[in-house]
Amino acid sequence: MSFFSFGQSAEIDVVLNDAETRKKAEHKTEDGKKDKYFLFYDGETVSGKVNVTLKNPGKRLEHQGIKIEFVGQIELYYDRGNHHEFVSLVKDLARPGEITQSQTLDFEFTHVEKPYESYTGQNVKLRYFLRATVVRRLNDISKEMDIVVHTLSTYPELNSSIKMEVGIEDCLHIEFEYNKSKYHLKDVIVGKIYFLLVRIKIKHMEIDIIKRETTGTGPSVYHENDTIAKYEIMDGAPVRGESIPIRLFLAGYDLTPTMRDINKKFSVRYYLNLVLIDEEERRYFKQQEITLWRKGDVVRKSMSHQAAIASQRFEGSAASESALEQAAREESG
């Protein structure tokens, strides 16, 4: 990682201990672009080194201490002056004094709680970062390093299908069915649409995936709807008794897990929107919420044990035993 200069006297840099082997994940920035960041999960240790490099070797650098912080925070774009921190850990690396030559300082945050997934949306951003600081009287020397956190879920035990009817009296009556109500991010939505009565001239039908981001509370609630995907089911007029299959692959779309009431600040929900358009351009639609969750890839041994440690921290020894059993099953599988 390249050095970044702050001030005239020194440069500060943060390097992770496992930077060579740790997986990276793409994450959207505020300007809509995607960058790659080191990927972490809840319960994993974050460790590394802080390098303080003097620009003029031999010249003294006085300081009030050197520290590193691990921060998880939520920023609401309409309230940018306030950052809501839900994780804030600090390690003092050096006492007040002076530096006469470049230094490397080790740090470790053990089994760090990272309860929420990293998220950048229309009105809100949830981020995790490391911030190393050389504290000075006039101007601190500081460097931030963002990381990305993914939250993994287990397969939902109850995952019933969705069956609904939609109709206009004496004009249209259809039934549609989706195979599940909960999908992982690389899943396939499978379903069927049955036309029981068709007396209007339908020319087009599609399914949209809509993301609804909700921020704020009370009178200051903001809703942002974003159409993530459009999937054409039919182009032309259906007839009574016709059945049309649906097969929508989610892996190609920019989706996050469903987030409900994150730290009392925001929610992200997903909906399947069935849209019919007749020859007079009238639109008929029916919306149904679905739950999205992130399924783990091949689980590394260390990751499984980190999950067990996190479980023990929050739920006690009994939960830890079940987590260890699950980790063993995942490794053997």
Side-chain angles (χ1 to χ4, degrees):
M1 192 171 189
S2 61
F3 288 104
F4 194 81
S5 177
F6 286 79
Q8 298 298 315
S9 51
E11 295 171 327
I12 191 167
D13 189 35
V14 180
V15 180
L16 297 177
N17 282 342
D18 55 359
E20 296 297 321
T21 57
R22 177 161 294 277
K23 184 179 177 180
K24 288 188 174 183
E26 280 193 344
H27 188 73
K28 189 170 69 173
T29 57
E30 276 189 56
D31 58 8
K33 297 179 181 177
K34 285 191 174 181
D35 286 332
K36 284 196 170 184
Y37 302 92
F38 289 110
L39 176 61
F40 284 85
Y41 300 93
D42 183 29
E44 278 197 290
T45 293
V46 182
S47 64
K49 295 175 173 57
V50 173
N51 298 320
V52 182
T53 306
L54 295 181
K55 283 191 168 185
N56 301 305
K59 187 176 179 180
R60 293 186 307 168
L61 170 66
E62 294 184 2
H63 63 86
Q64 307 301 310
I66 302 173
K67 65 180 180 179
I68 187 161
E69 302 162 84
F70 181 88
V71 180
Q73 72 178 23
I74 297 171
E75 179 183 352
L76 299 167
Y77 295 164
Y78 58 81
D79 186 22
R80 283 189 181 270
N82 294 318
H83 294 157
H84 307 277
E85 294 187 356
F86 55 88
V87 176
S88 182
L89 305 173
V90 184
K91 297 277 188 184
D92 290 319
L93 302 179
R95 295 178 179 177
E98 60 181 40
I99 299 174
T100 57
Q101 59 185 5
S102 299
Q103 289 191 5
T104 296
L105 304 163
D106 294 323
F107 70 88
E108 180 174 273
F109 295 100
T110 307
H111 309 317
V112 185
E113 177 187 1
K114 311 175 198 73
Y116 311 123
E117 174 135 346
S118 299
Y119 177 75
T120 303
Q122 304 269 37
N123 288 318
V124 62
K125 177 169 65 177
L126 189 152
R127 64 185 285 240
Y128 294 86
F129 60 93
L130 290 160
R131 178 168 56 212
T133 307
V134 178
V135 182
R136 305 192 69 201
R137 286 180 180 174
L138 296 178
N139 58 325
D140 293 346
I141 305 170
S142 184
K143 174 70 178 290
E144 291 184 358
M145 175 185 177
D146 280 80
I147 66 168
V148 162
V149 170
H150 282 175
T151 55
L152 302 180
S153 301
T154 54
Y155 195 87
E157 291 181 11
L158 296 174
N159 199 354
S160 56
S161 61
I162 300 171
K163 294 182 180 180
M164 297 186 73
E165 295 185 13
V166 61
I168 304 166
E169 190 174 357
D170 296 328
C171 293
L172 178 70
H173 186 192
I174 62 175
E175 291 180 351
F176 58 93
E177 180 178 350
Y178 305 120
N179 61 330
K180 294 183 287 190
S181 56
K182 301 171 184 176
Y183 299 88
H184 64 77
L185 299 185
K186 299 187 185 302
D187 216 335
V188 183
I189 296 174
V190 177
K192 280 187 178 181
I193 297 177
Y194 305 94
F195 291 87
L196 304 177
L197 176 65
V198 184
R199 287 182 180 164
I200 57 176
K201 294 183 177 179
I202 298 171
K203 71 170 187 177
H204 180 76
M205 184 160 58
E206 68 185 26
I207 283 185
D208 303 337
I209 300 175
I210 295 175
K211 180 176 80 171
R212 180 171 298 157
E213 177 186 292
T214 304
T215 52
T217 55
S220 302
V221 173
Y222 298 86
H223 298 287
E224 288 285 349
N225 288 344
D226 186 14
T227 301
I228 302 295
K230 286 181 179 286
Y231 175 74
E232 183 178 85
I233 300 171
M234 180 196 69
D235 188 12
V239 297
R240 180 178 177 181
E242 191 169 357
S243 171
I244 298 178
I246 300 168
R247 199 169 186 85
L248 176 57
F249 292 83
L250 298 179
Y253 299 109
D254 186 16
L255 302 168
T256 70
T258 295
M259 304 179 185
R260 291 188 172 90
D261 201 21
I262 299 299
N263 203 235
K264 308 293 184 185
K265 296 293 184 294
F266 73 97
S267 297
V268 179
R269 296 171 183 260
Y270 288 90
Y271 298 84
L272 288 178
N273 192 33
L274 179 64
V275 181
L276 289 78
I277 303 172
D278 68 14
E279 290 187 344
E280 297 178 10
E281 298 300 327
R282 289 179 297 201
R283 297 170 64 89
Y284 311 90
F285 62 90
K286 187 74 172 180
Q287 225 172 65
Q288 173 65 37
E289 184 175 4
I290 57 172
T291 299
L292 298 183
W293 54 283
R294 186 180 296 281
K295 182 180 179 181
D297 296 326
V298 177
V299 180
R300 300 192 309 270
K301 180 177 180 181
S302 60
M303 187 59 249
S304 299
H305 284 285
Q306 296 286 12
I309 291 167
S311 178
Q312 183 178 24
R313 185 176 68 240
F314 290 115
E315 300 177 23
S317 59
S320 174
E321 290 172 7
S322 63
L324 285 166
E325 289 169 3
Q326 181 181 355
R329 285 197 302 271
E330 289 171 341
E331 288 167 29
S332 62

